[in-house]
Amino acid sequence: MVYSIAGSLPAAVPRREPVHYHSYLTPLLHRRFARSCAITIIACYVESFLIGNKSNIFWACFPLSWTGVRCLCLFLLGSFPVLILRISQLHLDTRAYASAFHGVRRLLGSFSTYTAVCVYVISSMTVTLSYLYSSGDDAQLHMITEARSYERPRLNERFLYILFLALYTGMIQGINHIREDKGRVVLSSSSLSPQEAIKLHYLDALKHMSSSTMVACLSGPIVYLPLRPLIWENALILARTFYWLNRSTVLPNFPIGPGLFFRSVLITFLTCGLVEVSHLAFASHFSYDHLSAGKCLIEKSSDPNGTLLTGLRSTKSPLTRTLAFRELRYIANSRPDRRRDIFIDVNRQPKNAWEQILQECLQTLREVESRLSELSPFRLAQSLDAPQQSPLTELDFPPPIPIGKANILVSTSNAKSHKFLDSLQSNLRLMQLKL
C-alpha cells in the first residue's frame, strides 16, 4: 500500500537554470553606450554649426543642410571611433610594469598602442578637414592659392601646416591615451546619475582640453620647422599630379603668424573638445550608478539569487563579475528585502543560496591571497640575500635611569618642614627637663 502511494506521487520538478547575469547586463550597457553616442552627436552638431558659414542662420541651424552633413562626418569619423576604442580597450585593473623601461618596451610592441594613435589621428584630421572645407577665401586655407593671370597657381603652405598640426595633435592625444591609460574604467563607489557625473567632471575636461591645445599649438611650430623642407618637397610632388602648379621649388616665407596661430588654436581646441566630450560621456555612463532605473538587475529575473550567482562566477568576464559583486554590496547595505530572500532560499542545490554566495566571496579572497603569495618567494630571496644583523645590535638602548632610595611619596618641602618640627620638639623637651 505504501509503495503504491509513493509510486503515484508526481516526481519533483527540477529547478530551471537561471538566466545569466550577463544577459541582463548587456542591454543596460548598450543603452548606456547609446546615450553616450547621443551626447557626442550633440557636441558634433554644435561644432558643425561653429565652423560652418553663418550668413544664413536658418540654414546654419537646419539639420538637413551642410551642418547636418558635417555633423554626421564628425560623429562617424571623429567621436564614434574614440568610443569604439574605449570599448575595445576596456579593462578594470591597473597596468603595472617592473620598470619604466619595461613599460615603454611593452607599449611600443603592443598593437593597441598604434591603434589608439591611428584613431586619434583620424579624429583630428576629420575635424581639421571639415574646418578647412568650410572656411572662406579670406582665411587663405585652401590647398592652392590663385596667382596673377599670367602666373601658375602655387601650393599653399598654410594649408600644409594646418594638416601637419592636425597629425601632430592626433599623435599627442594618442600618446596621452596610452600614458594615462584611458582604456581603464574606474568604477566609483558613489552612486551618481550621468548628469551629476558630467556636472562633477566637466571642469576637469575643460582644463585638459586647454592644456592639450596649448601644448600642441606652442610646440607645433618648433617641430614643424626642421621638417618643413621635407614636407614641402613631398607635398609639391603629390600636388603636381593633380594641379598645374608653378615650377619653382623654393620655400615661401614662413607661414606662421598671429592670424594663423589663432586659427590653429581654434581648430586644435575644437579637436580636443570633441575627444574630451567623448571621454566624459563614456565615463559618466560607465563609471557611476550601474543600477537599472534605481533597481537591481537581478529583480528582472524569475530566479534573482541564481542570476546573481551566475554573475559572481563569471571569471572570464571581469566587468560582469565586478558589477555582480557591486550589486551584492548594494544589497548588503541598502536592500533588507533582498537579503531576506537570500537567507530563506534553502532549497537550492548543491547548497543554499547564502552558502554559495559566501563560497564565491571566499574564493575571490583566496585568488587575491594566491596572487600575493606569488610575490613572496622573490621578496623572501631578497631578504635572505641581504646581510643579517642581530636584532639586539640594531637597537640603541637608552642610558640607565638612576634610582634613588628616598621616599618619592614625600616631597622635599614636606621633608624639610618635618625636620624643623622634630628639632623644635627636641628643644622643648630639653627645656622642660632643665626646669
Side-chain angles (χ1 to χ4, degrees), residues 17 54 80 91 123 135 160 177 190 204 218 222 246 280 297 314 325 330 418 422:
E17 290 293 330
K54 291 176 282 296
F80 189 69
H91 63 279
S123 176
S135 61
L160 297 180
H177 178 95
S190 59
D204 296 334
L218 293 178
I222 300 175
N246 196 302
L280 182 61
L297 285 176
S314 300
F325 272 105
Y330 172 75
H418 283 297
D422 292 340

Side-chain angles (χ1 to χ4, degrees), residues 73-258:
C73 293
L74 290 175
F75 173 71
L76 294 179
L77 299 176
S79 62
F80 189 69
V82 177
L83 296 176
I84 296 298
L85 180 68
R86 292 293 302 267
I87 291 292
S88 64
Q89 297 185 357
L90 189 147
H91 63 279
L92 302 176
D93 55 339
T94 304
R95 294 176 179 175
Y97 302 99
S99 62
F101 176 77
H102 176 70
V104 172
R105 182 181 177 184
R106 287 285 301 273
L107 292 175
L108 290 178
S110 176
F111 179 75
S112 61
T113 302
Y114 302 100
T115 303
V117 173
C118 290
V119 165
Y120 283 100
V121 167
I122 293 173
S123 176
S124 179
M125 293 294 290
T126 301
V127 177
T128 302
L129 290 176
S130 299
Y131 183 88
L132 293 176
Y133 180 79
S134 304
S135 61
D137 296 335
D138 55 343
Q140 299 179 1
L141 293 178
H142 297 297
M143 183 177 179
I144 302 300
T145 57
E146 295 296 335
R148 297 180 178 89
S149 59
Y150 55 87
E151 292 181 347
R152 295 181 182 179
R154 295 178 178 271
L155 184 64
N156 189 4
E157 193 181 5
R158 293 165 61 90
F159 175 83
L160 297 180
Y161 173 73
I162 294 297
L163 290 183
F164 167 79
L165 185 63
L167 177 65
Y168 180 66
T169 303
M171 295 180 64
I172 290 178
Q173 289 179 325
I175 294 172
N176 287 334
H177 178 95
I178 300 300
R179 182 178 60 87
E180 299 176 3
D181 197 7
K182 291 279 191 178
R184 181 186 174 217
V185 175
V186 181
L187 299 178
S188 176
S189 58
S190 59
S191 179
L192 297 177
S193 64
Q195 293 79 8
E196 294 173 344
I198 291 175
K199 292 179 181 179
L200 183 63
H201 295 287
Y202 79 95
L203 287 179
D204 296 334
L206 186 60
K207 292 178 183 178
H208 201 276
M209 289 162 50
S210 303
S211 61
S212 300
T213 301
M214 288 296 102
V215 169
C217 293
L218 293 178
S219 61
I222 300 175
V223 179
Y224 175 75
L225 190 59
L227 300 175
R228 185 187 177 200
L230 181 63
I231 294 174
W232 174 260
E233 180 181 356
N234 289 275
L236 201 59
I237 294 174
L238 181 63
R240 281 177 175 170
T241 59
F242 301 97
Y243 297 95
W244 192 53
L245 300 179
N246 196 302
R247 294 182 178 180
S248 177
T249 58
V250 179
L251 279 171
N253 297 328
F254 195 65
I256 304 174

